[in-house]
Amino acid sequence: MKHVLSIAGTDPSGGAGAAADCKTFCAHGCFALNVITAVVSQNTQGVRGYMDVTPDLIADQIDAVFEDIDVDAVKIGMVSVPETIRVIADKLRQYQPRFVVIDPVMVATSGHRLLVPEAEQTLKEVLLPLADVLTPNIPEAEVLTGKTIENLSDMEDAAKAISAMGARAVLVKGGHRVEDATDILFDGQELHYFKGKRVDSTSTHGTGCSLSSAIASDLANGMSLADAVAEAKQYVYEGIAHAEPIGKGHGPIHHFYELYKKAGLQ
């Protein structure tokens, strides 16, 4: 069994952040580890507030994991302040995990901004170059590049521009596109296209967290990057398509749909 670490914020409603990461790891047959970067007060209707964990405690959590357990992949989510970003980057350089997947969580599904403006440059300069895969959605890719994205050509340009900032591979997610849900992966050499079917559903809470966590799990399990992205996209699609109606807002995806199906618990 591979060991995959989430470095992210909390979600007491269980649909996003570290909760979604760990559910996704387990759904992919991996052992889930987690380091908490921020305690977030949120539910399916939105984010109410958050409190950042101190850099020293984040560092101590990371040390506690790596000094005891072999880590096969790391997924990084909410890192809202420069101090948090720097301490995580220091620890990644110290322990050098095989795979690092970064979901640049800047804006929650509800629209709440989770990355303070002064942290954006730190993210680009310090953490982004350590990513084996960076998974921005279109609004996040616009923040990172400073350019408006309106079509597939713009997504291609954004993926290449972000890769030039240091990330080894960039997956620009097209879920915010109106006409389709095509994602574009630039692996540093080639562009890969992942077409998706749009689901008419409000169960989209934590989709970005779950996608990046699925990619990290698949890489840890030995998949190629392109195959990992394809599987992760299908995993999230099935999770949305078979989600249970939980909460009064944007509910969570069904992280364990395939396992429930195999167990006859549909």
Side-chain angles (χ1 to χ4, degrees):
M1 180 181 288
K2 300 300 182 180
H3 311 143
V4 187
L5 170 64
S6 161
I7 303 178
T10 65
D11 176 8
S13 67
D21 294 346
C22 290
K23 289 177 183 179
T24 302
F25 300 158
C26 293
H28 285 77
C30 298
F31 186 79
L33 309 159
N34 66 277
V35 165
I36 300 303
T37 59
V39 179
V40 186
S41 174
Q42 67 173 310
N43 55 27
T44 66
Q45 299 180 85
V47 176
R48 302 182 179 196
Y50 62 88
M51 179 179 69
D52 292 300
V53 174
T54 65
D56 286 347
L57 187 53
I58 292 172
D60 202 31
Q61 291 179 79
I62 295 173
D63 288 338
V65 171
F66 277 92
E67 290 174 3
D68 185 43
I69 299 171
D70 292 329
V71 177
D72 298 292
V74 175
K75 176 271 169 86
I76 298 171
M78 181 179 178
V79 287
S80 58
V81 293
E83 294 77 13
T84 295
I85 294 169
R86 292 191 186 96
V87 74
I88 292 172
D90 287 344
K91 290 301 176 182
L92 291 177
R93 285 190 288 266
Q94 177 181 348
Y95 292 111
Q96 300 186 356
R98 177 67 183 86
F99 298 107
V100 176
V101 179
I102 300 177
D103 182 21
V105 182
M106 297 175 173
V107 183
T109 302
S110 62
H112 190 99
R113 195 172 187 89
L114 297 173
L115 184 67
V116 298
E118 57 266 29
E120 291 174 4
Q121 194 62 30
T122 307
L123 176 71
K124 287 195 283 188
E125 294 177 357
V126 177
L127 195 57
L128 189 152
L130 300 177
D132 291 294
V133 190
L134 193 81
T135 63
N137 57 30
I138 286 177
E140 290 160 349
E142 289 179 329
V143 171
L144 289 169
T145 61
K147 297 181 179 180
T148 300
I149 298 174
E150 297 181 340
N151 50 48
L152 288 175
S153 178
D154 292 341
M155 291 173 66
E156 295 169 355
D157 291 342
K160 292 178 180 179
I162 296 169
S163 174
M165 298 176 191
R168 293 172 184 81
V170 179
L171 178 69
V172 178
K173 299 175 292 186
H176 287 74
R177 283 169 53 83
V178 176
E179 59 268 38
D180 58 43
T182 297
D183 298 344
I184 296 180
L185 171 70
F186 181 62
D187 63 9
Q189 295 182 324
E190 296 182 63
L191 290 164
H192 305 263
Y193 302 84
F194 301 86
K195 294 183 179 180
K197 295 172 285 186
R198 188 172 294 283
V199 186
D200 184 14
S201 172
T202 58
S203 297
T204 56
H205 185 51
T207 49
C209 304
S210 302
L211 181 77
S212 54
S213 294
I215 293 171
S217 300
D218 288 331
L219 290 173
N221 282 327
M223 280 192 184
S224 68
L225 176 56
D227 287 346
V229 171
E231 190 285 330
K233 189 172 178 67
Q234 184 63 27
Y235 169 74
V236 171
Y237 169 80
E238 295 290 351
I240 296 172
H242 299 93
E244 296 292 326
I246 297 173
K248 299 176 182 178
H250 290 277
I253 72 171
H254 194 329
H255 289 92
F256 297 109
Y257 164 69
E258 287 295 335
L259 296 179
Y260 276 48
K261 180 180 177 182
K262 291 176 182 178
L265 298 174
Q266 292 174 278

